[in-house]
Amino acid sequence: MRFTEHELTEAVTNAAKTVAAARQRGVRRRLDREATWAALTRHERYLVLDAVGTQVLPVLLALPDLEVPEGTRPTFTDIQVLSAVQATLGDAARGLRGKVTVAARTALVRDALAKLPPRQA
C-alpha cells in the first residue's frame, strides 16, 4: 500500500502527540495528548515531529503493499510491522538494546497506524 501524504502526516503527528504526552506525564500525572500537544511551542512541536518522523516514516514506507478498500483503515499483522521495523534498523536491532529499540519502535508504529484516518477516494 502506498500511503498518501495526508496519511503519513497524520501518522507522524499522532505518534508525536503520544511521545510528547509520555514525556510530560509523570508517574502520577495523567495528561491528555491533545492538551499536552497544545501546550507545546511551535519549536518544541517541530523537535518532537522531527525525532518521531525519523523513526516512523522509514518503517511505514517499508510496510508491504496492500489494497485498502475505501472507508477502511489499513491493517497490518504484528509480523509485518515487526519485520519492517527490523529491516529499517538493520544491525541496530541486535542485542538487548536492539530488542528494546525494536519493541519501542514497533509500539510507536502500531500507535501511528491505529490513528490513521480511513482511506478516502
Side-chain angles (χ1 to χ4, degrees), residues 54-72:
T54 59
Q55 295 180 21
V56 173
L57 285 176
V59 177
L60 291 175
L61 297 176
L63 288 169
D65 292 341
L66 49 97
E67 287 295 320
V68 179
E70 186 178 322
T72 62

Side-chain angles (χ1 to χ4, degrees), residues 22-100:
R23 288 196 313 182
Q24 295 293 325
R25 190 179 323 174
V27 175
R28 297 177 192 261
R29 293 182 5 181
R30 295 280 181 196
L31 296 176
D32 181 32
R33 287 171 14 114
E34 299 299 327
T36 303
W37 188 251
L40 295 177
T41 65
R42 290 175 61 136
H43 182 66
E44 290 171 330
R45 286 184 196 172
Y46 168 77
L47 293 176
V48 175
L49 283 169
D50 182 45
V52 171
T54 59
Q55 295 180 21
V56 173
L57 285 176
V59 177
L60 291 175
L61 297 176
L63 288 169
D65 292 341
L66 49 97
E67 287 295 320
V68 179
E70 186 178 322
T72 62
R73 291 181 173 89
T75 55
F76 296 96
T77 64
D78 290 336
I79 301 294
Q80 289 172 325
V81 175
L82 181 62
S83 64
V85 168
Q86 290 173 336
T88 57
L89 284 175
D91 289 337
R94 296 186 183 190
L96 184 59
R97 283 188 179 180
K99 288 182 181 181
V100 171

